[in-house]
C-alpha cells in the first residue's frame, strides 16, 4: 500500500537514486533506505503526514541541508524523510525589536546576511554556516567558534514555530528577550533533534554588528603552553569572540598537505584568537593582552586587514573537510570539558591507548578529537575507544558532545553514560509529546 498516495502540497521522491543522498549526513554513520523523501510546501502536507504516520505506524525524520555531524537526520527503519528545503516563508528583520524571523528552510548564510544588511549580528557560526539550513541549526542547537563569547544557537532564539503531534502549528515564545510566562517549550524544542516535533521556523535575537576585530595567530613552541590560556584570559577579563586551535599533529598535516596558506603556518601548535569588542584594536587593549600572555606571545601575528583576517579563517574553516579528505574513515568527536580542565583532559587523552589528533574550539573547551584510524579499527574496539574518550570528558565535568548533538552516532553512549534520571525524564517528555513515537524514532533516547 502506498502510504503517501495523494499527499497534498509536497514533492515526493521515491526512486532509489534520489533517495541515496539522504542515507547520510556529515557524520560517519549511515541510515537505511527510507520509504520516501517528502519535501512539504505547507502545513497541509505536514498535518497529513503526521496523521498517516500515526495511522500506518511509520516514523518521520526531519532534515535540513544534511550537514549534521551526529546522524540526527539519517533514516532509521520504516521512516519517511521530511526534507524542509522547500518549506515556504520569508526572512524579515525588525531592527526595532532586534530580531529576525525566518523559515526552517532559510540558509544560515542568508539569515546572517539579512541581519548584517541592517547593521545587526546573528552570532551562531557552525563550520557549515555557508551550506547549512537554519532549521538544522535550531534542531541541533548548533555551535561554532563564536560560541566562546556569544553562546550556542539556543541563546539566540526568541520564539519557535513548531508542528507537534496534534498536526497543528504552534508558536512558542514572543519577539522579546523578556518572556517568562511559564516554562519555555520553545527552548525544549531547540536541540531536541526532532524527537518532540518539527521546527518549521523561528524568530531570532540579534545584536549590533561588531565592527572592530583583532585577529591573532598565536604559534607556540610547546603545545602545552596553550592549554592554560583560555582560563587565564577569561580569569583576567579578556573574553575572545573565538579561540581556536590546532594541536601539533593537525598543524603538521596542514603544513605538509594543506593549501598554500597553511604551508606557512608557524609553531609546534597554533591558536587563532579573535576579539570583537569596541576598542580591541587599540594599543591599550593589545598591550594589556600581551602583558597577560607573557613569553607565550613571542611569534604572535596580528591580522592587519580584512583580507588577512579572512585568510586565517579560511584555513581554520577548511580543516574538517581537509582532514576528512585525507582520512576518509576517520571519526571526528566533539567532546567538551570546562576550560579550566583542558590540561588534565589532554594528559588523560595521552594515557588512553589509541592515537588521536585534535583541533577545534579551545576557548570554550569544545574539542574535535579525531580518531584517524577509525575506519580500520575493529568496531567493538572503536566503540571502547570512544567510550573511554567520553568517560574521560565526563569525569572532568564535561560532556560527550559540545555542539554536534547525539543523533544516531552517540545514542548508545549517551544512554549508557547519562544519569538514568535524566534519561527517564527525557523519555517521559517524549511519551507525553509524541505518544505514537513518530518523530525521529531511534535518535537521541
Ligand atoms: C569544526 O569545528 O570544524 C566542525 O564542527 C568539526 C568537525 O568536523 O568535527
Ligand atoms: Zn566545531
Amino acid at each position: 500500500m502506498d502510504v503517501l498516495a495523494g499527499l497534498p502540497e509536497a514533492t515526493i521522491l521515491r526512486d532509489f537514486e534520489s533517495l541515496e543522498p539522504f542515507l547520510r549526513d556529515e557524520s560517519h554513520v549511515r541510515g537505511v533506505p527510507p520509504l520516501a523523501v517528502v519535501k512539504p510546501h505547507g502545513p497541509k502536507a505536514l498535518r497529513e503526514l503526521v496523521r498517516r504516520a500515526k495511522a500506518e505506524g511509520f516514523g518521520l525524520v526531519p532534515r535540513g541541508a544534511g550537514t549534521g555531524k551526529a546522524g540526527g537526520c539519517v533514516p532509521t527503519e520504516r521512516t519517511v524523510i521530511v526534507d524542509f528545503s522547500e518549506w515556504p516563508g520569508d526572512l524579515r528583520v525588525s531592527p526595532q525589536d532586534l530580531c529576525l524571523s525566518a523559515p526552517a528552510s532559510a540558509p544560515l548564510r542568508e539569515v546572517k546576511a539579512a541581519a548584517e544588511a541592517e547593521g545587526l549580528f546573528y552570532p551562531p557560526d557552525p563550520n557549515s554556516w555557508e551550506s547549512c539550513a537554519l532549521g538544522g541549526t535550531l534542531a541541533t542547537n548548533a555551535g561554532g567558534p563564536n560560541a566562546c563569547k556569544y553562546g550556542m544557537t539556543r541563546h539566540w532564539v526568541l520564539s519557535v514555530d513548531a508542528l507537534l503531534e496534534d498536526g497543528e502549528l504552534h508558536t512558542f515564545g514572543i519577539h522579546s528577550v523578556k518572556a517568562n510566562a511559564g516554562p519555555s517549550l520553545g527552548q525544549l524544542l531547540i536541540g531536541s533533534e526532532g524527537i518532540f516535533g518539527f521546527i518549521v521556523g523561528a524568530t531570532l535575537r540579534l545584536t549590533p554588528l561588531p565592527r572592530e576585530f583583532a585577529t591573532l595567530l598565536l604559534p607556540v613552541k610547546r603545545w602545552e603552553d596553550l592549554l592554560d590560556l583560555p582560563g587565564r584570559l577569561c580569569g583576567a577579563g579578556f573574553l575572545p569572540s573565538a579561540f581556536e586551535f590546532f594541536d601539533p599533529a593537525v598543524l603538521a598535516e596542514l603544513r605538509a598537505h594543506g593549501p598554500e596558506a597553511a604551508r606557512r603556518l608557524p609553531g609546534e601548535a597554533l591558536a587563532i584568537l579573535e576579539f570583537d569588542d569596541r576598542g580591541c584594536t587599540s594599543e591599550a587593549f593589545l598591550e594589556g593582552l600581551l602583558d597577560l600572555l607573557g613569553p607565550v606571545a613571542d611569534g604572535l601575528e596580528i591580522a592587519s586587514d580584512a583580507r588577512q583576517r579572512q585568510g586565517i579563517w579560511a584555513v581554520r574553516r577548511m580543516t574538517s573537510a581537509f582532514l576528512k579528505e585525507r582520512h576518509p574513515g576517520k571519526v571526528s568527536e566533539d567532546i567538551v570539558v570546562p576550560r579550566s580542565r583542558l590540561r588534565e583532559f589532554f594528559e588523560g587523552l595521552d594515557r588512553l591507548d589509541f592515537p588521536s589528533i585534535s583541533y577545534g574550539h579551545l576557548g570554550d573547551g569544545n574539542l574535535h578529537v579525531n580518531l584517524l584510524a577509525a575506519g580500520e579499527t575493529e568496531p567493538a574496539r572503536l566503540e571502547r575507544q570512544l567510550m573511554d574518550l567520553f568517560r574521560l570528558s565526563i569525569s572532568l565535568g564535561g560532556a560527550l558532545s559540545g555542539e554536534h548533538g547525539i543523533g544516531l552516532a552517540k545514542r548508545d553512549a549517551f544512554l549508557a553514560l547519562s544519569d538514568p534520571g535524566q534519561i527517564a525524564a527525557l523519555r517521559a517528555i517524549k511519551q507525553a509529546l509524541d505518544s505514537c513515537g513518530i518523530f525521529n524514532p531511534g535518535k537521541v533516547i
Side-chain angles (χ1 to χ4, degrees):
M1 189 183 75
D2 181 1
V3 292
L4 299 176
L7 191 80
E9 288 189 339
T11 306
I12 303 178
L13 310 177
R14 301 166 194 269
D15 61 287
F16 182 77
E17 256 174 38
S18 320
L19 299 185
E20 220 278 327
F22 293 88
L23 295 188
R24 64 185 95 78
D25 59 0
E26 295 288 326
S27 70
H28 58 280
V29 298
R30 212 181 147 85
V32 299
L35 301 175
V37 171
V38 172
K39 301 185 183 191
H41 302 159
K44 268 194 207 152
L46 281 187
R47 190 175 304 132
E48 188 55 19
L49 263 179
V50 165
R51 192 188 69 72
R52 294 188 195 187
K54 287 199 268 190
E56 305 295 335
F58 59 87
L60 300 172
V61 179
R63 186 175 175 103
T67 56
K69 297 268 185 185
C73 66
V74 306
T76 49
E77 222 42 72
R78 211 172 143 66
T79 53
V80 168
I81 297 281
V82 184
D83 175 319
F84 279 91
S85 59
E86 295 178 4
W87 186 259
D90 300 321
L91 283 177
R92 280 189 316 275
V93 183
S94 167
Q96 289 195 3
D97 287 326
L98 283 177
C99 71
L100 178 157
S101 301
S105 53
L108 181 60
R109 65 165 193 287
E110 286 180 19
V111 169
K112 289 172 82 73
E116 271 189 50
E118 299 288 344
L120 297 169
F121 184 39
Y122 178 64
D125 62 341
N127 203 43
S128 56
W129 74 275
E130 289 183 285
S131 51
C132 67
L134 175 67
T137 68
L138 299 167
T140 59
N141 184 31
N146 279 163
C148 181
K149 172 176 173 182
Y150 291 99
M152 308 279 286
T153 294
R154 72 163 68 259
H155 300 114
W156 295 90
V157 178
L158 296 175
S159 78
V160 176
D161 305 320
L163 184 125
L164 300 185
E165 192 189 38
D166 60 2
E168 300 300 327
L169 286 177
H170 303 271
T171 296
F172 302 116
I174 60 168
H175 299 182
S176 167
V177 277
K178 297 197 96 171
N180 215 11
S184 169
L185 286 171
Q187 285 296 329
L188 179 68
L189 293 170
I190 301 299
S192 67
E193 304 187 46
I195 65 169
F196 299 142
F198 289 151
I199 297 175
V200 301
T203 297
L204 310 167
R205 183 162 72 89
L206 305 176
T207 192
L209 188 66
R211 308 243 174 222
E212 204 174 332
F213 299 97
T215 308
L216 319 174
L217 211 51
L218 179 64
V220 286
K221 292 197 190 74
R222 292 181 335 130
W223 138 241
E224 299 78 31
D225 290 345
L226 279 183
L227 303 182
D228 297 330
L229 266 191
R232 268 211 296 136
L233 282 176
C234 290
F238 288 93
L239 181 56
S241 49
F243 187 153
E244 303 286 302
F245 82 109
F246 302 131
D247 81 356
V250 172
L251 188 55
E253 286 257 343
L254 280 166
R255 244 186 326 239
H257 308 284
E260 191 54 35
R263 299 197 178 211
R264 295 190 297 270
L265 291 174
E268 181 195 67
L270 187 73
I272 299 167
L273 270 104
E274 187 159 274
F275 295 87
D276 68 357
D277 307 301
R278 195 173 286 176
C280 67
T281 53
S282 69
E283 249 173 59
F285 178 88
L286 291 171
E287 262 170 33
L289 181 65
L290 289 179
D291 264 4
L292 182 81
L293 293 175
V296 178
D298 292 350
L300 181 84
E301 293 172 26
I302 304 181
S304 55
D305 55 27
R307 204 179 50 85
Q308 271 188 18
R309 174 178 180 238
Q310 269 165 19
I312 291 174
W313 277 110
V315 173
R316 167 61 187 94
R317 290 288 183 185
M318 53 71 72
T319 304
S320 171
F322 159 77
L323 288 174
K324 182 89 188 155
E325 207 178 301
R326 288 198 28 83
H327 307 277
K330 84 178 172 84
V331 167
S332 177
E333 278 309 336
D334 165 43
I335 63 88
V336 59
V337 293
R339 54 172 84 83
S340 58
R341 313 295 296 271
L342 283 165
R343 184 176 288 276
E344 284 166 88
F345 172 79
F346 280 105
E347 285 166 2
L349 189 62
D350 280 346
R351 286 194 293 272
L352 296 181
D353 70 341
F354 56 86
S356 63
I357 70 176
S358 302
Y359 68 97
H361 319 288
L362 198 69
D364 51 31
N366 179 203
L367 314 170
H368 297 311
V369 178
N370 279 233
L371 280 64
L372 299 185
E376 299 92 63
T377 309
E378 188 243 323
R381 179 140 193 255
L382 176 63
E383 204 182 306
R384 276 198 305 279
Q385 295 176 343
L386 293 175
M387 288 299 265
D388 285 347
L389 172 66
F390 297 152
R391 280 202 188 91
L392 172 63
S393 319
I394 292 169
S395 73
L396 295 172
L400 49 76
S401 172
E403 60 178 7
H404 295 166
I406 303 300
L408 192 59
K410 275 172 276 200
R411 178 174 185 253
D412 290 347
F414 180 62
L415 293 177
L417 300 176
S418 300
D419 172 354
Q422 180 193 354
I423 300 298
L426 285 174
R427 286 191 168 150
I429 297 170
K430 168 86 172 161
Q431 177 61 29
L433 294 181
D434 180 22
S435 57
C436 300
I438 58 170
F439 289 116
N440 217 358
K443 307 288 171 55
V444 187
I445 46 171

